[in-house]
Amino acid sequence: MADEHFEPTDATFHAQSSPFLSPASPSPPSPSPEIGPDISRRLYISHFLSTWNSRIFEFGAILFIAAVFPGTLLPASLYALVRTAAAICLTPAVGRYIDRGNRLEVVRFSIIVQRLAVTASCLGLWSLALDLSAFPWLRPLILVLLAVMACAEKLSSIMNTIAIERDWVIVIAEHDESGLQVLNAQMRRIDLFCKLFGPLAISLIDGISTTIAIWVTLGLNVVSVTVEYFAIAEVYKRVPALQMSQTHLLRPDTPDSISSATNFFCHLSTYLISSTRSIRKELSFYTRHSVFIPSIALSLLYLTVLSFSGQMVTYLLSAGYTSTHIGLARTLSVAFEMSATWLAPLAMNKIGPTRAGLWFINWQAVCVVVAISFFWGTQLPFLAASGLVFGVIASRIGLWGFDLCVQIIIQEEVEPDSRGAFSSIEISFQNIFELFSYMSTIVFARPQQFRYPVLMSSLAVLVAGGLYAEFVRRRRGHLLHISSCVGGKEREGIDSAGYEALGIQIFGELYEG
């Protein structure tokens, strides 16, 4: 049967994936200068310190809470649930604040809030590690305060990441495409380094002493704030274009610019009112779009406890794993995930993103089914947990390969002027499904009950696979094309180099531990 899939050209891909080069982009006031090493070095230092501190705190906080509340998944699940809920509700308001604010004030505000939140959290975690048996009401109160601080840290981290990676880098490069590629590549390397070695480092220290790990987190947070604060200020000072409006690239900062935390909360209230009026229209657009099914299938994969995040980490600790074991397993998992950023481009270059996505989701489903079969059929907790760990690690190739394929399908087919609306709804669904995963370990809070959230996660993978298979069948008229799968050279558009570059970018942006 003849293939009926969408076949964009390389030119289409580059035009759609590079809004920086869009004709609609405003012209700069002067020719773009060469990016000086002093500017890039200070930018990299600031970004490294922000990302490194965020990663070690994010992973370390779960380890610390699990150590303080052994034998239950409830505190860690509640902590992560509140943190995720804040990201769902308030991230669009953060985006609005970034769009309208003075660039330097926005980034400095994010740095200060992030450091204050981490400092308060470390002090709270240290106090939880003390003997508070004489004050039984104090532990729940401290846990509530920790959750509030986690929300502030998460939002300020998002603010810093969006401002630097999605705005500052483009403005610094201006119309120098090669310079922009160099900046993006180096920023991505920093992200991947921090995501890999940050959690590993703090887990190794926690294996020695939880108290020491808390104080190390606090010390790094306090020592780095001054360097990060002034490094980013020097970048702002040396690049005049950063001092111009983000809308017109020529408007100097005025009193109307948002430069205070008070205005941020004002825009938060404005956002809440306006969002209720537009949600129905955006949701209708999302559900009626031709790529709704692959998008919702990808979002379903966030309904999982099968990742090295808070719930599974807490369970593994209760099953006999040490924080060092978990850090090493997580490192191996990241290595498998990174391999998907090379395997997926090869597969898409061979058979196209639509069919490659089907192969990757099937690989993930097989690995997950094998893992939970071993997990349910083994009586020894440590052995069952080990089987689950190896199955989850193997499944990450399918997860990230499928993620890359779906993201490219969406990028090619969603209209340029609607990508923001489509993506915001998709991210909301992802966070909603992630909330359901946290709720599952709140309902089944005992480690002995972890098998039920595991079963729920596997069902979500199977449902996602079924939905995507139906999408492929509708689009192509069949699921398998044996001749092309075995030796055909049929392709769907983008060349291998383009896929590899996008694979690295998408992996860095979407990975959550």
Side-chain angles (χ1 to χ4, degrees):
M1 183 178 294
D3 289 334
E4 301 172 356
H5 51 267
F6 178 76
E7 299 190 54
T9 64
D10 289 347
T12 301
F13 167 73
H14 291 299
Q16 292 185 346
S17 62
S18 301
F20 170 76
L21 300 174
S22 171
S25 299
S27 299
S30 60
S32 57
E34 182 180 353
I35 302 173
D38 290 343
I39 295 174
S40 57
R41 183 170 58 250
R42 285 173 169 82
L43 181 68
Y44 299 151
I45 290 173
S46 176
H47 185 63
F48 171 78
L49 292 175
S50 175
T51 307
W52 178 265
N53 282 291
S54 179
R55 292 301 171 188
I56 64 171
F57 172 75
E58 181 181 4
F59 190 74
I62 297 298
L63 293 178
F64 305 152
I65 292 175
V68 173
F69 297 95
T72 177
L73 305 177
L74 184 60
S77 298
L78 285 173
Y79 178 88
L81 185 147
V82 172
R83 192 170 183 263
T84 302
I88 293 174
C89 299
L90 301 179
T91 295
V94 169
R96 178 173 297 184
Y97 176 58
I98 293 171
D99 287 339
R100 300 185 179 183
N102 173 289
R103 287 187 172 97
L104 182 59
E105 293 293 340
V106 167
V107 174
R108 280 184 162 179
F109 179 55
S110 71
I111 293 172
I112 295 301
V113 172
Q114 188 178 21
R115 295 298 178 266
L116 290 176
V118 173
T119 299
S121 295
C122 288
L123 294 176
L125 289 165
W126 172 74
S127 63
L128 281 178
L130 302 176
D131 184 10
L132 300 176
S133 57
F135 308 95
W137 53 270
L138 197 53
R139 277 198 167 190
L141 177 61
I142 294 176
L143 187 61
V144 170
L145 295 177
L146 287 176
V148 174
M149 291 298 102
C151 294
E153 192 279 334
K154 176 70 172 179
L155 291 171
S156 58
S157 176
I158 291 173
M159 184 184 299
N160 188 283
T161 299
I162 294 176
I164 298 299
E165 294 188 1
R166 301 298 179 86
D167 180 40
W168 284 53
V169 167
I170 297 175
V171 174
I172 291 171
E174 295 195 47
H175 280 197
D176 182 3
E177 182 179 3
S178 61
L180 178 62
Q181 292 172 354
V182 170
L183 286 175
N184 280 334
Q186 186 61 32
M187 299 287 276
R188 190 62 58 232
R189 293 186 191 105
I190 292 172
D191 289 340
L192 296 178
F193 178 87
C194 294
K195 289 170 183 175
L196 176 60
F197 290 102
L200 176 61
I202 199 63
S203 62
L204 292 175
I205 298 173
D206 183 69
I208 300 173
S209 169
T210 298
T211 301
I212 293 176
I214 293 174
W215 285 109
V216 167
T217 303
L218 176 60
L220 290 174
N221 179 76
V222 172
V223 169
S224 64
V225 62
T226 303
V227 178
E228 182 182 357
Y229 191 90
F230 287 103
I232 203 65
E234 280 297 310
V235 174
Y236 181 84
K237 179 181 178 181
R238 292 170 184 241
V239 182
L242 287 173
Q243 303 167 33
M244 301 174 184
S245 167
Q246 301 179 55
T247 302
H248 302 98
L249 293 180
L250 197 58
R251 187 201 72 184
D253 296 324
T254 67
D256 293 332
S257 298
I258 303 173
S259 58
S260 67
T262 302
N263 283 332
F264 168 70
F265 293 107
C266 292
H267 282 275
L268 170 61
S269 62
T270 303
Y271 159 75
L272 293 175
I273 295 173
S274 62
S275 64
T276 58
R277 299 173 182 172
S278 60
I279 186 63
R280 178 179 297 182
K281 179 180 178 180
E282 293 176 352
L283 187 59
S284 176
F285 166 76
Y286 177 75
T287 56
R288 294 173 184 269
H289 203 280
S290 61
V291 293
F292 162 69
I293 292 179
S295 174
I296 200 68
L298 178 63
S299 298
L300 262 173
L301 298 181
Y302 283 74
L303 204 168
T304 184
V305 296
L306 300 178
S307 64
F308 291 95
S309 57
Q311 301 121 302
M312 187 168 171
V313 166
T314 305
Y315 167 75
L316 292 177
L317 290 171
S318 70
Y321 273 63
T322 66
S323 57
T324 302
H325 294 151
I326 294 171
L328 294 174
R330 192 176 189 273
T331 301
L332 183 60
S333 177
V334 171
F336 272 68
E337 291 165 357
M338 291 184 68
S339 71
T341 65
W342 283 277
L343 294 175
L346 292 175
M348 287 185 287
N349 188 49
K350 182 74 172 177
I351 59 177
T354 301
R355 279 181 291 166
L358 186 61
W359 285 97
F360 280 115
I361 190 64
N362 285 336
W363 171 264
Q364 183 184 7
V366 169
C367 291
V368 167
V369 168
V370 171
I372 68 163
S373 299
F374 186 87
F375 181 70
W376 275 70
T378 305
Q379 299 299 321
L380 297 177
F382 187 85
L383 187 59
S386 298
L388 189 65
V389 165
F390 284 110
V392 168
I393 290 174
S395 73
R396 307 304 277 182
I397 295 177
L399 170 64
W400 287 104
F402 178 70
D403 178 86
L404 178 57
C405 294
V406 170
Q407 290 300 323
I408 289 180
I409 292 171
I410 292 172
Q411 183 181 40
E412 291 174 346
E413 300 195 26
V414 174
E415 299 77 7
D417 59 346
S418 302
R419 287 176 188 154
F422 187 95
S423 298
S424 64
I425 296 296
E426 179 184 44
I427 292 173
S428 295
F429 273 109
Q430 291 172 359
N431 283 284
I432 288 170
F433 286 127
E434 190 175 15
L435 274 181
F436 286 152
S437 73
Y438 293 133
M439 292 173 63
S440 71
T441 49
I442 291 174
V443 175
F444 302 104
R446 296 197 303 273
Q448 297 83 356
Q449 298 175 319
F450 189 65
R451 57 175 53 195
Y452 300 113
V454 166
L455 179 61
M456 176 203 68
S457 302
S458 64
L459 292 176
V461 174
L462 294 176
V463 171
L467 287 173
Y468 188 76
E470 176 61 18
F471 166 76
V472 175
R473 189 195 66 79
R474 289 182 182 180
R475 173 156 295 196
R476 298 175 42 78
H478 57 271
L479 293 179
L480 293 176
H481 193 184
I482 301 299
S483 62
S484 294
C485 292
V486 174
K489 295 186 179 297
E490 177 186 4
R491 302 181 181 183
E492 292 183 23
I494 310 169
D495 61 11
S496 177
Y499 280 133
E500 290 183 5
L502 187 58
I504 295 174
Q505 177 183 356
I506 291 176
F507 166 78
E509 291 177 353
L510 295 182
Y511 175 75
E512 288 304 339

